[in-house]
Amino acid sequence: MTTTTETPAPPRNRAPFPVHRHAALIALIALILFNVFTTPRFLTLATLNINLTQTATVVIVGIGMTFVIATRGIDLSVGSLMAISGAIAPLLFLNPTLGPNIGTVLAFVLPIAATGLLGAFNGLLVTRFAVQPIIATLVLFIAGRGVAQVISGGQLVNFTQSGFTALGSAKLLGIGAQVFIMLALLAVAVFVLARTLFGRQVIAVGGNPEAARLSGVPVNRTRMLVYVISGLLAGLAGLITIAINSSSDSNLVGQNIELDAIAAVAVGGTALNGGRVTMIGTLLGALFIQLLRYTLLVKGVPDAAATVIKAAVIIGAVALQYRRR
């Protein structure tokens, strides 16, 4: 009787540093170094504050978008929800019958509650009526801005309510308060994904919805909740935006931010078809996109060319995801 022995397969060659997993970080560091050596006064607190402030609302919206995309969804309505939130708030803190204190408190609560309910509407279309997420959220993408214009009467509203504008003007150590709000929300989101049952359910639904359902994961409830979270964060981002500008324009608040948020999620490394989620990657992706925009601006690159370059970066990020998978 002859015995045979199997020769073990040689181990795969693995790169000592997984470049594809840290592409956003590498690209961001490279862009920072480029500006350090070529852009005057880049390493100043003012420049840091400008870039972080302009990134804050994209990251806040991007956190909600990351939850949604993690479940194989998409939310195109976030910009319109920001406009709705920004249109409701002035009606409250400028209402003389409420008074400045009560009106300001309500202006921080009711707009976010309203956009949370609209997020639930998106989730209801996706879960109860089995509407594709891109179609379900397209409803409010189109109609939501119209609702905001009706609320505001289509007019630009200027205000100087200090209790509210502090959300956009207050600073700590020379950095805008909205940056610290962004970091706090990011820390909570990272904890939720990594340490809570809901976070594990989100990842399970994105990885394989049918297997998650058979394992007892409440798939529809999880999907509903991520759209509610996205709506709540969009509402907060809308308040921050109008507080920074000391004005509310329903035509402009949140315009195209859904594209920036989706781009930040994709560049950051979250898989658009589930299976991999990274909140820190969303932050890095948003920082990279903002710094790229800033770099092109200070180098005098025309807006049209800058848009093409930004699109090329997004295509590269998606291509990298396919390679990773």
Side-chain angles (χ1 to χ4, degrees):
M1 184 174 180
T2 304
T3 59
T4 59
T5 58
E6 294 184 358
T7 304
R12 295 180 180 179
N13 292 326
R14 294 184 179 179
F17 183 78
V19 175
H20 62 279
R21 290 191 173 216
H22 303 282
L25 177 60
I26 295 171
L28 179 61
I29 292 174
L31 197 53
I32 290 173
L33 292 176
F34 173 78
N35 280 281
V36 166
F37 292 107
T38 64
T39 304
R41 298 181 58 79
F42 177 72
L43 293 178
T44 63
L45 185 60
T47 301
L48 177 64
N49 186 51
I50 288 173
N51 283 290
L52 288 179
T53 298
Q54 295 185 358
T55 304
T57 51
V58 176
V59 174
I60 291 172
V61 173
I63 291 170
M65 190 69 74
T66 304
F67 276 112
V68 172
I69 290 177
T71 61
R72 301 191 180 188
I74 200 77
D75 190 351
L76 299 180
S77 69
V78 288
S80 296
L81 297 188
M82 285 179 61
I84 291 174
S85 175
I88 294 174
L91 296 180
L92 297 169
F93 63 72
L94 294 178
N95 190 327
T97 61
L98 294 175
N101 295 329
I102 296 177
T104 301
V105 171
L106 292 178
F108 282 122
V109 176
L110 293 186
I112 297 176
T115 56
L117 288 175
L118 291 172
F121 171 76
N122 287 333
L124 186 67
L125 292 179
V126 172
T127 58
R128 181 66 61 86
F129 297 100
V131 179
Q132 289 292 330
I134 193 170
I135 302 299
T137 57
L138 188 63
V139 173
L140 282 176
F141 171 81
I142 298 172
R145 194 164 295 277
V147 171
Q149 291 170 348
V150 170
I151 293 172
S152 65
Q155 301 297 316
L156 172 67
V157 181
N158 294 305
F159 50 83
T160 57
Q161 179 67 29
S162 59
F164 184 84
T165 56
L167 182 63
S169 61
K171 291 185 178 180
L172 178 62
L173 302 176
I175 302 297
Q178 60 270 29
V179 176
F180 294 98
I181 295 173
M182 171 196 76
L183 293 175
L185 290 172
L186 183 70
V188 172
V190 169
F191 175 82
V192 167
L193 269 181
R195 301 292 182 182
T196 68
L197 175 62
F198 173 69
R200 291 192 291 272
Q201 290 172 342
V202 167
I203 295 172
V205 170
N208 190 322
E210 188 58 32
R213 182 179 288 105
L214 294 175
S215 300
V217 174
V219 174
N220 284 343
R221 187 178 70 184
T222 302
R223 283 176 168 165
M224 170 70 78
L225 286 175
V226 297
Y227 284 100
V228 172
I229 291 171
S230 183
L232 292 171
L233 293 178
L236 175 59
L239 297 184
I240 292 174
T241 299
I242 67 169
I244 292 173
N245 298 324
S246 296
S247 65
S248 176
D249 186 348
S250 56
N251 297 302
L252 297 178
V253 173
Q255 189 176 50
N256 295 329
I257 197 169
E258 59 278 345
L259 304 180
D260 286 336
I262 294 170
V265 174
V267 172
T270 293
L272 300 180
N273 54 355
R276 175 174 167 77
V277 188
T278 165
M279 285 291 178
I280 298 299
T282 297
L283 171 64
L284 296 175
L287 288 173
F288 174 77
I289 291 171
Q290 167 55 31
L291 188 55
L292 178 63
R293 183 185 295 120
Y294 171 86
T295 303
L296 296 174
L297 178 65
V298 298
K299 300 304 178 186
V301 177
D303 288 341
T307 302
V308 173
I309 294 172
K310 180 180 173 181
V313 169
I314 297 171
I315 292 173
V318 174
L320 190 63
Q321 286 196 22
Y322 275 105
R323 180 190 172 201
R324 180 186 299 130
R325 292 183 68 84

